[in-house]
């Protein structure tokens, strides 16, 4: 139990995917102009990450390792994630148009979100079992969501600030993210 | 449209990192030193160039409906080649770049160039575009890596030049320094674009 | 329909070419990578056993060891990352043992002890004391290994890790039985054992009758008054109740508690 908690807590705070591991920066800057959209994106990521962690783990153990094809890992994982995203998009569209309204636009963006592929590869590198992989995926996604929503909140305020125009937009968002990252470094001593 | 123009646009006017904000994950993740930045830049340039070449050659063969999966397979193949060759011949760099080598595959710059340029243009232009964008990407990585190495460790390309009394800004070696450094670099680029009247 | 077939064929062809070229590159790079990894391993392990010309990983009951070979002969065994509980977490020690079961090198591979206090255990001069120690030595702080004051817990962790490695290697390769807690195998009688407390050795006499521990007497100790009494009162009774050495420590007298428990273990197991 303690071990699972350590993985979860570590993935959310200490090795926060966005602020410490630098994964998923594109959506982090692209979608965090409004709190609302960043919540939508985060929800889609949580969904895809958990599904992807299960499927990639099964592929790694039962196909790639079984047949000694580890060198096809990158190709296999990215194709699986791309198809998974497509499939989830179609399924949601059919089953719940309301949910599709909220998540739909974000789903295609997730294929090139390196947080998902990064999470899948980390699961293999850390030699997690399937339960640990799922817990790690949940922690990673929650950490991603926290970083997204917090930065979106900061950026909504920054819109109103008087700034040199050269710093407007991505520049000041990155500096704010840097200060946020300093705050997250404070968690490092806790484990 | 000229080949030299396709090359030079990637370096300043359409610099993938500093102007288009593409592929920022490796930019932030590996730039603790200038050397790592250079290694990552060259690896990405190689993948970008190769994928541009293949996509451009196959542009009439690849059906429109499945073009994205095809591009991804092409890119992932070259990424894996880089990954394995680096592990074999440049083990130290491979260890430093770590997770970010397989993640070149999701660098939106590379897929973006395949989709927006190579799938629509002939081979010479695609090569020129690939090299130009790759050089622009590498320049940005070395700039940020150099800045962080100078401020965070008082050295450049592992060559220490600061007097002993110099106390490095440890924050620039940490993740926070990557964000803040890139933030200032972008502001500098905005200023430069204004002066060069690029907008 | 024809469209779908064309799409699948193109996609399948591209995937096949991709997989084929990767398999080819993999065939070229894998030997290079393996050779380099073997060299790094040999260089790292070569520090411990300079005479060896090659090293071979062995897996015994899920634990990883290395055999050091010279001209095809096994000359030493290495246990990487043998663990002992330190102040800030496990201390990991790499231990090399020769074919007689004696330590030839010990190096701290990793720890999370307090910087400036616990990290003195990295000192090669201090670690050199472990060389030549074998299964029949106590390998205990204060007995045959000097303590470094201010870092007692960290030093004890290293000693535990080294003793563990010596026993594991002995059991895995040299046919030396590990010390085991097995009351059923102990004949009636009184046994003496030694453990290390806060102030030095603690010597106990344990009486066994009908495969049961019936009495534990403290023969000798040099623990601090005021703390010691708590452990002295509680631990022997708890062990007799549980018929097992692994009972809860008395808070405020942790070191003394561990010392008594180690001494009882020593008496029964060795």
């Amino acid at each position: 139990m303690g071990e699972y908690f350590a993985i979860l807590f570590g993935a959310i705070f200490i090795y926060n995917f966005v602020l410490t591991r630098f994964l998923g920066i594109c959506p982090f800057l692209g979608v965090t102009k409004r709190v609302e959209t960043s919540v939508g994106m985060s929800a889609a990521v949580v969904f895809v990450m958990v599904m992807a962690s299960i499927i990639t783990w099964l592929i790694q153990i039962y196909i790639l390792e079984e047949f000694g094809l580890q060198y096809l890992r990158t190709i296999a994982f990215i194709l699986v994630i791309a198809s998974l995203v497509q499939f989830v998009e179609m399924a949601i569209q059919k089953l719940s148009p309301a949910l599709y309204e909220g998540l739909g636009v974000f789903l295609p963006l997730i294929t090139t979100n390196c947080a998902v592929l990064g999470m899948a590869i980390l699961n293999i590198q850390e030699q997690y079992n399937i339960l640990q992989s799922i817990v790690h995926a949940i922690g990673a996604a929650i950490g991603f969501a926290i970083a997204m929503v917090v930065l979106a909140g900061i950026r909504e305020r920054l819109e109103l600030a008087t700034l040199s125009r050269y710093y407007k937009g991505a520049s000041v968002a990155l500096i704010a993210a840097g200060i946020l990252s300093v705050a997250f470094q404070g968690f490092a001593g806790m484990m | 449209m000229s080949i030299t123009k396709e090359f030079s646009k990637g370096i300043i006017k359409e610099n993938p990192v500093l102007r288009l904000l593409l592929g920022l994950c490796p930019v932030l993740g590996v730039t603790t030193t200038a050397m790592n930045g250079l290694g990552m830049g060259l690896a990405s340039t190689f993948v970008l160039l190769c994928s541009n070449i293949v996509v451009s050659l196959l542009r009439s063969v690849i059906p429109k409906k499945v073009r994205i999966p095809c591009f991804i397979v092409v890119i992932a193949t070259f990424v894996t080649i880089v990954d394995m060759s680096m592990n074999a011949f440049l083990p130290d760099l491979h260890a430093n770049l770590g997770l970010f080598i397989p993640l070149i595959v999701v660098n939106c710059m590379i897929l973006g160039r395949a989709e927006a340029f190579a799938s629509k243009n002939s081979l010479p232009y695609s090569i020129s575009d690939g090299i130009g964008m790759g050089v622009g990407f590498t320049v940005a990585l070395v700039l940020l890596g150099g800045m962080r190495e100078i401020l965070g460790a008082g050295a450049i390309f592992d060559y220490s030049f600061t007097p002993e009394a110099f106390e490095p800004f440890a924050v620039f070696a940490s993740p926070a320094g990557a964000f803040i450094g890139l933030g200032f670099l972008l502001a500098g680029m905005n200023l430069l674009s204004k002066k060069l009247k690029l907008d | 329909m024809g469209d779908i077939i064309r799409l699948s064929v193109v996609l399948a062809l591209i995937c096949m070419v991709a997989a084929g070229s990767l398999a080819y590159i993999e065939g070229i790079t894998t030997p290079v990578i393996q050779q380099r990894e073997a060299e790094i391993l040999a260089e790292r392990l070569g520090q411990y056993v300079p005479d060896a010309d090659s090293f071979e990983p062995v897996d015994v009951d899920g634990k990883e060891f290395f055999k050091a070979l010279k001209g095809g002969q096994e000359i030493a065994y290495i246990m990487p990352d043998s663990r002992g509980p330190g102040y800030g977490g496990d201390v990991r020690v790499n231990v090399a043992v020769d074919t007689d079961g004696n330590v030839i090198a010990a190096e701290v591979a990793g720890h999370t002890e307090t910087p400036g206090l616990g990290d003195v255990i990295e000192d090669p001069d201090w670690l050199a004391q472990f060389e030549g120690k074998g299964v029949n030595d106590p390998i205990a702080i204060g007995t045959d290994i000097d303590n470094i004051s201010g870092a007692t817990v960290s030093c004890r962790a290293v000693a535990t890790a080294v003793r563990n490695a010596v026993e594991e290697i002995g059991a895995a390769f040299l046919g030396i039985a590990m010390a085991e807690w097995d009351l059923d195998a102990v004949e009636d009688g009184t046994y003496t054992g030694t453990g290390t407390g806060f102030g030095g050795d603690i010597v106990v006499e344990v009486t066994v009758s009908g495969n049961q521990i019936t009495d534990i007497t403290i023969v000798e100790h040099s623990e601090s008054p005021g703390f010691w009494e708590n452990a002295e009162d509680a631990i022997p009774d708890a062990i007799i109740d549980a018929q097992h050495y692994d009972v809860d420590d008395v808070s405020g007298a942790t070191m003394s508690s561990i010392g008594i428990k180690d001494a009882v273990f020593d008496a029964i197991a060795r």
Side-chain angles (χ1 to χ4, degrees):
Chain A
M1 203 50 227
E3 180 197 0
Y4 292 105
F5 179 76
I7 293 176
L8 185 73
F9 187 82
I12 298 177
F13 294 108
I14 300 170
Y15 305 110
N16 185 287
F17 262 50
V18 180
L19 297 170
T20 315
R21 286 205 200 266
F22 305 110
L23 299 172
I25 302 288
C26 295
F28 183 59
L29 289 177
V31 203
T32 52
K33 288 196 180 127
R34 289 276 163 273
V35 172
E36 221 170 283
T37 47
S38 70
V39 171
M41 181 74 188
S42 306
V45 166
V46 173
F47 200 73
V48 172
M49 267 208 185
V50 175
M51 306 246 323
S53 70
I54 300 171
I55 296 179
T56 53
W57 191 87
L58 292 173
I59 287 188
Q60 170 76 15
I61 301 298
Y62 291 106
I63 299 179
L64 299 181
E65 281 184 13
E66 191 78 22
F67 299 103
L69 296 173
Q70 281 93 335
Y71 58 91
L72 292 180
R73 189 176 66 198
T74 311
I75 264 194
F77 279 16
I78 187 68
L79 280 180
V80 164
I81 291 170
S83 337
L84 178 73
V85 169
Q86 194 96 58
F87 178 77
V88 168
E89 191 182 351
M90 290 190 300
I92 293 185
Q93 199 173 6
K94 284 261 155 57
L95 297 174
S96 164
L99 190 62
Y100 183 74
E101 197 86 333
L103 297 187
V105 282
F106 302 111
L107 282 167
L109 286 174
I110 293 181
T111 310
T112 50
N113 182 342
C114 41
V116 180
L117 183 62
M119 178 273 308
I121 295 177
L122 279 172
N123 280 345
I124 306 304
Q125 280 181 355
E126 302 281 332
Q127 303 186 329
Y128 287 148
N129 64 31
I130 185 140
L131 260 181
Q132 291 169 325
S133 298
I134 296 172
V135 171
H136 183 231
I138 295 173
I142 296 176
F144 180 79
I146 292 178
M148 292 279 283
V149 174
V150 171
L151 188 70
I154 296 175
R155 286 185 78 177
E156 282 192 354
R157 301 261 172 140
L158 278 176
E159 295 268 298
L160 307 172
T162 326
L163 270 174
S164 152
R165 63 191 154 134
Y166 303 120
Y167 284 94
K168 278 244 151 91
S171 172
V172 74
L174 279 166
I175 295 172
I179 296 167
L180 205 55
S181 170
V182 174
F184 271 74
Q185 265 174 30
F187 290 111
M190 290 181 67
M191 300 279 269
Chain B
M1 186 156 125
S2 78
I3 289 187
T4 40
K5 217 176 123 207
E6 293 309 326
F7 172 76
S8 61
K9 71 168 194 284
I11 296 169
I12 292 189
K13 188 155 175 274
E14 288 181 31
N15 186 299
V17 177
L18 301 175
R19 297 274 295 171
L20 307 180
L21 303 181
L22 292 175
L24 293 187
C25 302
V27 173
L28 293 164
V30 303
T31 50
T32 40
T33 66
M35 196 60 215
N36 286 351
L38 185 64
M40 187 70 204
L42 293 181
S44 304
T45 304
F46 173 79
V47 174
L48 175 60
L49 177 63
C50 294
S51 87
N52 260 10
I53 291 174
V54 173
V55 167
S56 173
L57 287 174
L58 294 180
R59 68 185 189 280
S60 52
V61 186
I62 296 177
K64 211 163 173 47
K65 280 186 190 157
V66 289
R67 63 181 197 288
I68 299 289
C70 291
F71 296 163
I72 290 179
V73 172
V74 170
I75 296 169
T77 308
F78 287 114
V79 169
T80 314
I81 291 175
V82 168
D83 191 358
M84 291 191 294
S85 323
M86 247 193 195
N87 193 1
F89 304 110
L90 297 167
D92 292 342
L93 190 61
H94 185 265
N96 282 341
L97 301 181
L99 182 63
F100 285 98
I101 299 174
L103 289 183
I104 296 175
V105 78
V106 278
N107 186 327
C108 8
M109 170 186 78
I110 296 173
L111 188 62
R113 290 330 283 173
E115 163 80 358
F117 197 92
S119 63
K120 296 181 184 122
N121 290 286
S122 64
L123 186 60
Y125 290 108
S126 299
I127 292 178
S128 168
D129 174 76
I131 299 178
M133 283 288 165
V135 170
F137 186 70
T138 310
V139 166
L141 277 161
V142 173
L143 267 181
L144 184 60
M147 176 173 155
R148 287 180 68 192
E149 194 179 354
I150 292 172
L151 294 173
I156 186 80
F157 285 107
D158 287 336
Y159 171 73
S160 181
F161 59 88
T162 45
E164 282 205 359
F166 174 76
E167 184 74 41
F169 302 86
V171 69
F172 276 94
S174 74
F179 285 109
I180 296 173
L182 185 61
F184 283 119
L185 220 51
L186 284 184
M189 191 64 193
N190 289 343
L191 181 70
L192 186 69
S193 337
K194 179 84 174 40
K195 291 268 186 284
L196 295 176
K197 298 198 170 48
L198 292 177
D199 291 312
Chain C
M1 195 58 205
D3 196 33
I4 291 183
I5 293 174
R6 200 173 67 92
L7 293 185
S8 325
V9 169
V10 172
L11 201 51
L13 273 178
I14 291 183
C15 286
M16 272 163 61
V17 172
S21 53
L22 285 184
Y24 175 71
I25 302 273
E26 204 248 3
I28 298 177
T29 52
T30 306
V32 182
I33 296 171
Q34 278 172 349
Q35 199 202 340
R36 184 171 49 74
E37 281 172 355
E39 276 168 16
I40 291 174
L41 188 69
E43 194 182 322
R44 196 161 55 92
L45 299 181
Q47 297 168 1
Y48 307 142
V49 193
D51 292 343
D53 44 31
S54 68
F55 295 89
E56 185 188 317
V58 212
D59 194 294
V60 179
D61 296 336
K63 293 196 185 82
E64 193 190 26
F65 298 94
F66 292 97
K67 281 181 186 170
L69 304 170
K70 185 185 183 185
Q73 290 280 348
E74 297 175 8
I75 57 166
Y77 306 93
I78 295 157
M79 179 168 179
D81 288 348
S82 178
R83 286 163 184 273
Y87 188 75
D90 279 356
V91 171
R92 295 178 292 118
V93 186
N94 294 340
V95 183
V97 172
D98 65 14
T99 45
D100 298 328
N102 295 327
V103 176
I104 48 179
E107 186 186 36
V108 175
H111 67 80
T112 46
E113 304 297 279
T114 320
L117 286 175
D119 54 9
V120 292
I121 53 174
E122 291 169 11
D123 179 10
D125 291 339
W126 182 75
L127 287 166
Q129 293 182 81
F130 289 99
E131 286 165 25
K133 299 278 185 267
V135 237
N136 298 322
D137 293 303
I139 314 187
I141 301 298
T143 312
D144 54 349
I145 304 292
D146 290 340
N147 187 25
I148 304 178
S149 68
T152 310
V153 182
S154 308
C155 292
R156 187 197 303 272
V158 177
T160 308
V162 173
R163 194 168 59 232
N164 168 47
V166 168
E167 288 175 3
E168 294 264 7
I169 290 174
F173 301 104
L174 305 171
I176 301 168
M178 274 175 78
E180 262 185 287
W181 178 265
D182 185 7
L183 269 179
D184 292 338
V186 179
E187 290 172 25
D188 291 0
T190 303
Y191 301 89
T192 310
T194 310
T196 316
F198 186 75
D201 282 358
I202 298 173
V203 181
V204 299
E205 269 181 6
V206 183
T207 310
V208 177
S209 156
N211 299 331
Q212 297 274 312
I213 299 177
T214 52
D215 189 35
I216 296 174
T217 330
I218 311 286
V219 182
E220 190 189 312
H221 76 87
S222 39
E223 304 298 283
S224 334
F227 298 97
W228 161 249
E229 287 77 8
N230 296 329
E232 187 189 23
D233 290 343
I235 298 291
D237 288 346
I239 293 178
I240 293 169
D241 278 350
Q243 289 295 316
H244 197 276
Y245 71 98
D246 196 8
V247 295
D248 289 340
D249 297 329
V250 175
S251 71
T254 313
M255 295 292 206
S256 306
S257 306
I258 296 175
I260 299 175
K261 288 173 1 184
D262 281 353
V264 173
F265 180 84
D266 188 42
I268 297 295
R270 284 171 213 272

